[in-house]
Amino acid sequence: MTSTTSSTELFSRAQQVIPSGVNSPVRAFGSVGGTPPFLTSAKGALLQDADGREYVDLVGSWGPMILGHANEQVVEAVREAAGRGLSFGAPQPGEVSLAEEVVSRIGPVEQLRLVNSGTEATMSALRVARAATGRDVIVKFAGCYHGHVDALLAEAGSGVATFAMPGSAGVTAATARDTVVLPYGDRDAVAALFAERGGEIAAVITEAAPANMGVVPPLEQDGIGFNRFLSETAHAAGALLISDEVLTGFRASRTGYYGVDGPHGTGTGTGTGTGTGTGTGTDAAWAPDLMTFGKVIGGGLPVGAFGGRKDLMGLLAPAGPVYQAGTLSGNPLATAAGLATLAGLDEAAYETLGSASRTLQQLVADAFTTAGVPHVIQRAGTLFSVFFREQPVETYEDAKAQDTDAFARFFHAMLEGGIYLPPSAFEAWFVSTAHTPEMLDRIAEVLPGAAAAAARG
Ligand code: PLP
């Protein structure tokens, strides 16, 4: 498609009628500066903007486009579904198939409900947890992002981190009082909080592997992973564990991050540095009580989901007392896109993804090392991010201590060279199965110059 309206013109028009010109804050390029390109089409790993420029995409719509853009099977499934009607507001076969696919892949999920975003998924999971326990307090970790749910915005990652916001205005004091924020990975802080207030805590919510302050994989201690520790600590106090896999689900591995560090996990591919991780997973049975999903299960259309133990999910209306609903939930186009995407994600697809991710990590490490840019690359399964500091990042405080100015210089040099990165130092980089060696070669050509720009402080 050719366009006669430039990104600059579009951004100026947008700013008149849309707050800051965008419908989600990070898109405004606020932390890196400049005008965001307005995108007009995408195919495979390539994006086209309104100015006629082409980019290799490393954002992937923040996760959903794991098979690349306009994947033929996914587009065909949506086209076919659209021909049968856009929305029924009544049960339809696709939602059953999508729930069956998730339940078959993710052990702890016995039942699943579909919603329209990750935010809705975490918000609903909190409501179920509070109803199940009759308690109010939610524990979250600094740097973890769970969508723009009132109770979960304190010290959140993603855009909240990008703009260095402590939380959000408009959240009531009562809501803030019911949320306790702890440093990620701090087992002593978790134990102390439970010792003091265990009887008030409804649930601990955590990203299965935090990826919204950059990727900060959970660490093992005495052979026990952080997620398992949280599950055991919460359960000992009658509280629940909610594992948020909106970002990691069906991306970190075929079975999400739970497939990496759960009881039957492979334990591989987690950790810092650029080599292959050597974790072993653990044999002891443990499971989150509730899990949340989004992004990949919608294949680019608006889908979220929450699921878990049958007794907990049975609390939902109409059988139970917890109200939760949605006009477009289980929408036939969205379930068609999600199903076609999951159908494309077989073992071979994860191998392609893993290989593209490892190659890219190595290219970045080589370019940064040559240019003398302090960096550390961290990963969780096939997901990774690059921090502009030398020391490993274990907490949000560590993540904030990186050189975001160097990132901004790097970002703009990459963009200029036709590589579209997340416009924030706190985000993961997203590869897809469409990141072929040719696409990686294009990135490799631009990296050395961009690394040199980052180094010119
Ligand atoms: N949870 C996590 C871990 C996320 O990464 C996100 C979005 O980035 C959300 C929840 C919110 O999802 P959505 O943007 O679909 O509301």
Side-chain angles (χ1 to χ4, degrees), residues 198-250:
E200 295 170 60
I201 297 171
V204 177
I205 184 167
T206 184
E207 287 189 59
N212 282 288
M213 51 176 152
V215 174
V216 179
L219 298 179
E220 279 197 6
Q221 204 172 296
D222 302 326
I224 297 189
F226 187 56
N227 289 323
R228 178 178 155 197
F229 164 81
L230 291 178
S231 136
E232 289 172 356
T233 308
H235 292 165
L240 304 180
L241 174 65
I242 303 171
S243 181
D244 183 351
E245 293 237 27
V246 167
L247 199 151
T248 50
F250 313 102

Side-chain angles (χ1 to χ4, degrees), residues 315-365:
L315 293 172
L316 288 164
V322 180
Y323 197 72
Q324 182 278 329
T327 300
L328 295 176
S329 295
N331 172 272
L333 268 61
T335 55
L339 275 167
T341 299
L342 290 182
L345 286 171
D346 53 12
E347 289 301 342
Y350 285 102
E351 267 167 40
T352 305
L353 210 58
S355 156
S357 168
R358 282 191 301 275
T359 303
L360 187 53
Q361 289 173 47
Q362 195 58 57
L363 290 171
V364 172

Side-chain angles (χ1 to χ4, degrees), residues 42-120:
K43 180 75 189 159
L46 292 173
L47 304 170
Q48 313 286 333
D49 76 6
D51 310 297
R53 295 201 61 197
E54 184 174 84
Y55 305 90
V56 179
D57 184 21
L58 287 172
V59 178
S61 189
W62 305 96
M65 309 321 299
I66 195 164
L67 298 179
H69 294 278
N71 172 278
E72 269 159 37
Q73 281 75 30
V74 177
V75 170
E76 189 44 43
V78 173
R79 193 174 283 132
E80 201 270 327
R84 285 186 279 109
L86 299 185
S87 179
F88 309 132
Q92 58 94 11
E95 56 194 344
V96 187
S97 304
L98 185 54
E100 284 172 346
E101 179 68 24
V102 174
V103 167
S104 74
R105 284 199 192 201
I106 314 286
V109 177
E110 294 174 343
Q111 287 198 329
L112 185 84
R113 210 171 241 187
L114 296 175
V115 291
N116 305 292
S117 68
T119 296
E120 257 189 84

